[in-house]
Amino acid sequence: MAGSSHGHTPAAWTGVIIAFIGFCAAGAFMVAAQPVGFWASMGVVLLGGVVGAIMRMMGLGQKNEHPVHQIASKGEPAGAKS
């Protein structure tokens, strides 16, 4: 994955940060015994995935022109060198 820049895009970073904030808030609400806050925070976790997907559709995700994708599209194994 290091050779393919997997996850190094604004869409990936934004989605993960939103989901992480929701996860941390859900943990705090669970310890505080606040089920409504917990479930609202779980909604924020899901929102992170939705925001990341929308940003990817807007062109802020990884492009398919990367060399790893080009090799894979030719039917060769992803790790093969030509």
Side-chain angles (χ1 to χ4, degrees):
M1 281 191 231
S4 68
S5 297
H6 178 77
H8 296 268
T9 64
W13 278 98
T14 304
V16 168
I17 289 170
I18 292 170
F20 182 69
I21 290 169
F23 179 78
C24 290
F29 281 118
M30 186 185 315
V31 171
Q34 299 291 327
V36 174
F38 170 80
W39 288 111
S41 298
M42 293 307 292
V44 172
V45 171
L46 294 175
L47 180 67
V50 171
V51 168
I54 290 171
M55 288 180 70
R56 182 175 179 217
M57 286 188 274
M58 292 172 53
L60 295 172
Q62 185 171 349
K63 309 290 187 264
N64 287 335
E65 292 87 29
H66 196 277
V68 172
H69 292 64
Q70 292 172 355
I71 292 171
S73 67
K74 293 179 184 176
E76 299 175 16
K81 300 236 181 203
S82 43

